[in-house]
């Protein structure tokens, strides 16, 4: 990224931490008072001719391309399947693809273009929370609609976003609990220096305090930075006899981190690493030999044994090649296209975004990961799974929840948001309200 782009990127990350880890209600203007602000007039998204235009906005270049290009492939697959089955409301879906280029101001510019110039009915996009935070004001100001497919740090609940990745209680928190019960009490936290890792680690530290664990170290790398030797030195000093490494690095930094971790002799038997942004695609690109035996927590793995997943994997390989793998963000991206389709069909319109938004709540889908449902907080219910990298680069599922976990966007370990929830179906509640004590 250019120096200017990096400075803007760092501004997003540091601003998130400096404002009590983004504990404002969504949109940045809502106070702690649990009331919902009036919604702006809906921006119409006219479906042109015989097609319904949708935007796809991900990083196809830059440090995040390692992860985001495969998400685009999954979204295109869903669109192709829906079109082959007759489309939506008798029209074919036309995808307009834009490259966010791993640069957050570029994401905002491209989101504006998709809405104002291309007149898309919705946008499927973003990966990092920095990119999502960059486009959020655009979607809220224009009262438009973004579908976001990646697990994230929570502490947000926007009327204009539907989140199909995991909230912290559907990934980070179960992973910490499992590690405490199975791998140790001492944690070293490693992350990229932006919104998601810093907020996630704030949650983790609060959870460790509550559950009897200990944070022995915490360090960050600028996104795309590969100078990981100082961090590995700090890990060895803080955990001389071994311990848990919780990894929230994103993008290319993971390549250098796992290679140098192995070179330093920090093996999974003494230094188990739990990653929440490394999945099958990243294992393939980093090299399975560097991750063998390490862990990741997701809601979906390619090895999930469901009929829907077998169909999804077969379709993806048929389109993109037998050597390709699927992963959690790809699956979440794939199913969000179908959830949007179902909402449009129930609303009987792609143009009236308020109707589509209302219809999206309650949508259910037999996803490759298992059954999912869109909640009034615009997040979906999900099964939680922990996988261990095996010698073919896929994951053995070593633990899973017995059923789906309901989403909680406002974290219940962090004091400032404990007791808060989100409900966009109730005008008196909206993006953040205080729950009644049971």
């Amino acid at each position: 990224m250019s120096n200017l782009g990096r400075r803007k990127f760092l501004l997003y990350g540091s601003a998130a931490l400096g404002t009590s880890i983004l504990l404002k209600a969504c949109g940045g203007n809502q106070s702690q008072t649990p009331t919902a602000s009036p919604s702006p007039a809906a921006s119409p998204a006219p479906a042109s001719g015989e097609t319904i235009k949708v935007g796809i906005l991900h990083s196809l270049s830059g440090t995040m391309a390692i992860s985001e290009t495969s998400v685009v492939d999954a979204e295109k697959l869903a669109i192709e399947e829906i079109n082959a089955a007759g489309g939506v409301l008798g029209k074919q879906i036309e995808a307009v693809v834009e490259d966010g280029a791993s640069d957050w101001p570029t994401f905002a510019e491209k989101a504006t273009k998709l809405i104002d110039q291309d007149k898309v009915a919705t946008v499927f996009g973003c990966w990092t929370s920095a990119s999502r935070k960059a486009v959020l004001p655009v979607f809220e100001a224009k009262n438009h609609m973004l579908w976001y497919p990646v697990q994230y740090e929570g502490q947000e609940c926007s009327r204009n976003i539907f989140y199909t990745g995991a909230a912290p209680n559907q990934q980070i928190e179960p992973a910490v609990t499992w590690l405490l019960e199975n791998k140790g009490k001492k944690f070293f936290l490693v992350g990229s220096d932006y919104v998601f890792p810093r907020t996630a680690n704030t949650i983790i530290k609060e959870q460790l305090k509550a559950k009897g664990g200990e944070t022995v170290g915490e360090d960050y790398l600028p996104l795309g930075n590969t100078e990981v030797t100082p961090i590995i030195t700090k890990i060895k000093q803080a955990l001389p006899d071994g311990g848990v490494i919780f990894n929230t690095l994103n993008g290319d930094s993971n390549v250098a981190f796992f290679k140098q971790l192995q070179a330093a002799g920090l093996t999974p038997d003494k230094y188990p690493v739990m990653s929440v942004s490394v999945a099958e695609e990243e294992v393939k690109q980093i090299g399975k030999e560097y991750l063998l035996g390490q862990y990741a927590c997701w809601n979906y793995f390619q090895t999930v044994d469901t009929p829907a997943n077998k169909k999804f994997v077969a379709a993806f390989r048929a389109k993109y090649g037998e050597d390709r793998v699927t992963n959690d963000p790809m699956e979440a991206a794939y199913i969000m296209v179908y959830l949007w389709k179902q909402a449009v069909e129930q609303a009987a319109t792609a143009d009236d975004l308020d109707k589509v938004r209302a219809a999206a709540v309650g949508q259910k889908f037999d996803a490759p990961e298992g059954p999912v449902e869109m909640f009034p907080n615009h997040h979906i219910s999900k099964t939680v799974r922990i996988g261990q990298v095996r010698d073919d680069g896929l994951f053995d599922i070593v633990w899973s929840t017995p059923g789906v976990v309901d989403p909680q966007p406002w974290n219940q370990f962090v004091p400032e948001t404990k007791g808060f929830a989100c409900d966009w179906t109730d005008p008196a509640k909206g993006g953040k309200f205080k729950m009644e004590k049971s």
Side-chain angles (χ1 to χ4, degrees):
M1 292 184 286
S2 67
N3 288 335
L4 177 60
R6 187 175 296 280
R7 285 197 298 270
K8 288 181 178 177
F9 151 73
L10 290 173
L11 179 62
Y12 282 113
S14 61
L17 182 66
T19 53
S20 299
I21 61 167
L22 301 171
L23 300 181
K24 289 184 179 180
C26 304
N29 296 322
Q30 195 171 345
S31 69
Q32 292 285 0
T33 304
T35 59
S37 57
S39 63
S43 299
S48 59
E50 293 305 308
T51 67
I52 298 175
K53 286 186 178 181
V54 300
I56 291 179
L57 177 56
H58 291 286
S59 295
L60 302 177
S61 59
T63 189
M64 289 308 303
I66 185 177
S67 297
E68 292 191 65
T69 51
S70 59
V71 172
V72 174
D73 290 342
E75 290 161 4
K76 287 182 174 179
L77 174 63
I79 290 170
E80 181 180 282
E81 290 177 350
I82 292 168
N83 283 341
V88 182
L89 302 179
K91 295 185 177 185
Q92 295 285 284
I93 304 172
E94 178 185 348
V96 182
V97 181
E98 292 289 350
D99 180 11
S102 304
D103 179 70
W104 324 135
T106 299
F107 268 90
E109 292 165 9
K110 298 290 189 176
T112 301
K113 173 192 174 289
L114 287 168
I115 295 169
D116 290 345
Q117 295 182 31
D118 299 304
K119 305 295 183 184
V120 297
T122 194
V123 177
F124 305 108
C126 300
W127 178 294
T128 67
S129 289
S131 65
R132 192 191 69 258
K133 290 293 182 184
V135 304
L136 177 60
V138 176
F139 284 92
E140 293 193 333
K142 297 178 182 295
N143 195 26
H144 217 274
M145 184 186 302
L146 172 70
W147 291 75
Y148 176 67
V150 184
Q151 42 68 250
Y152 81 121
E153 71 283 356
Q155 310 299 55
E156 176 181 293
C157 188
S158 174
R159 179 177 182 269
N160 299 86
I161 300 180
F162 288 93
Y163 310 75
T164 59
N169 74 303
Q170 298 169 311
Q171 186 197 34
I172 294 170
E173 293 173 28
V176 169
T177 298
W178 184 85
L179 289 165
L180 287 170
E181 293 174 354
N182 295 277
K183 296 298 176 180
K185 304 291 186 182
K186 295 184 177 182
F187 283 55
F188 194 104
L189 311 180
V190 179
S192 298
D193 194 4
Y194 74 101
V195 181
F196 165 63
R198 285 194 173 274
T199 310
N201 286 340
T202 298
I203 292 169
I204 291 169
K205 286 183 288 185
E206 292 294 339
Q207 185 178 357
L208 289 176
K209 285 181 192 175
K211 299 289 186 179
E214 180 184 358
T215 304
V216 299
E218 180 178 3
D219 210 348
Y220 297 90
L221 278 177
L223 196 65
N225 189 301
T226 57
E227 297 296 324
V228 299
T229 301
I231 288 181
I232 291 174
T233 299
K234 291 177 184 178
I235 292 172
K236 292 172 74 173
Q237 291 172 345
L239 294 170
D241 300 317
V244 173
I245 302 169
F246 204 103
N247 172 33
T248 52
L249 290 170
N250 262 276
D252 295 339
S253 300
N254 276 303
V255 179
F257 179 68
F258 280 101
K259 286 183 177 180
Q260 293 192 38
L261 199 68
Q262 186 182 90
L266 277 62
T267 53
D269 56 330
K270 288 187 66 178
Y271 294 90
V273 179
M274 177 66 75
S275 298
V276 290
S277 294
V278 173
E280 288 87 342
E281 186 70 21
E282 288 76 23
V283 172
K284 184 179 179 182
Q285 297 197 42
I286 294 168
K288 60 188 179 184
E289 64 272 23
Y290 300 108
L291 290 122
L292 185 64
Q294 300 290 16
Y295 298 91
C297 185
W298 293 100
N299 309 109
Y300 167 88
F301 292 103
Q302 184 174 310
T303 47
V304 168
D305 187 13
T306 66
N309 186 42
K310 291 175 182 176
K311 180 181 176 182
F312 170 56
V313 173
F316 189 85
R317 286 179 164 177
K319 181 171 176 62
Y320 296 111
E322 288 298 318
D323 61 330
R324 293 292 302 276
V325 293
T326 58
N327 65 26
D328 184 287
M330 293 163 65
E331 189 258 2
Y334 175 82
I335 67 175
M336 73 185 181
V337 179
Y338 275 97
L339 289 167
W340 167 81
K341 166 191 177 286
Q342 292 177 186
V344 168
E345 290 175 337
Q346 182 173 317
T349 176
D351 304 348
D352 189 327
L353 300 189
D354 282 340
K355 288 184 178 179
V356 176
R357 229 183 323 263
V361 173
Q363 291 297 330
K364 298 179 180 180
F365 188 68
D366 183 18
E369 68 181 79
V372 300
E373 179 179 355
M374 182 62 69
F375 272 55
N377 58 27
H378 289 189
H379 295 66
I380 64 174
S381 54
K382 302 178 81 71
T383 302
V384 187
R385 298 175 170 95
I386 290 173
Q388 185 175 29
V389 180
R390 63 193 197 190
D391 56 11
D392 63 355
L394 299 180
F395 286 82
D396 274 328
I397 298 171
V398 299
W399 177 86
S400 66
T401 54
V404 296
V405 177
D406 294 347
Q408 292 179 337
W410 297 111
N411 190 260
Q412 302 304 301
F413 282 105
V414 175
E416 292 89 341
T417 50
K418 186 175 183 179
F420 283 90
C422 169
D423 184 350
W424 287 110
T425 64
D426 186 342
K429 295 178 178 178
K432 191 176 185 183
F433 71 95
K434 187 73 172 178
M435 293 182 287
E436 294 182 5
K437 293 183 179 180
S438 56

